[in-house]
Amino acid sequence: MSQTQSQTQSQTQTQTQTQTVPQAVQQAEPKTESTTESTTESTTEPTIESKFPRGLVIRLIAYLFVGHLFAFFVYLLFVLGARNQ
């Protein structure tokens, strides 16, 4: 009995694999009709892909400011160190 059960299970597994592959292929294919419609509709609204997240912009500005402040401090150390020689 175990051989028939294993054969039945292997047959059902192969059937489910063959059924899921076409669904994955259909999902992977680009839909030309919906993409052309969505690009014409969303030309006025900025999408998430076209603008940076707010947290990233704030972090970028903060890192630039702190980086320049640190560079100025190092420059100041060199200038003051050169005077004392």
Side-chain angles (χ1 to χ4, degrees), residues 70-82:
F70 180 72
F72 174 73
F73 176 70
V74 170
Y75 173 76
L76 188 64
L77 286 178
F78 278 101
V79 169
L80 293 177

Side-chain angles (χ1 to χ4, degrees), residues 34-49:
S34 64
T35 54
T36 55
E37 291 173 2
S38 65
T39 54
T40 57
E41 292 174 359
S42 65
T43 54
T44 57
E45 297 178 13
T47 61
I48 191 78
E49 298 166 351

Side-chain angles (χ1 to χ4, degrees), residues 20-70:
T20 56
V21 171
Q23 292 173 356
V25 171
Q26 288 175 357
Q27 292 173 355
E29 292 177 0
K31 298 178 182 178
T32 55
E33 295 174 4
S34 64
T35 54
T36 55
E37 291 173 2
S38 65
T39 54
T40 57
E41 292 174 359
S42 65
T43 54
T44 57
E45 297 178 13
T47 61
I48 191 78
E49 298 166 351
S50 65
K51 67 178 190 174
F52 292 110
R54 185 179 177 143
L56 180 68
V57 172
I58 292 171
R59 225 177 325 152
L60 179 66
I61 291 170
Y63 288 161
L64 284 172
F65 177 75
V66 170
H68 281 86
L69 191 65
F70 180 72

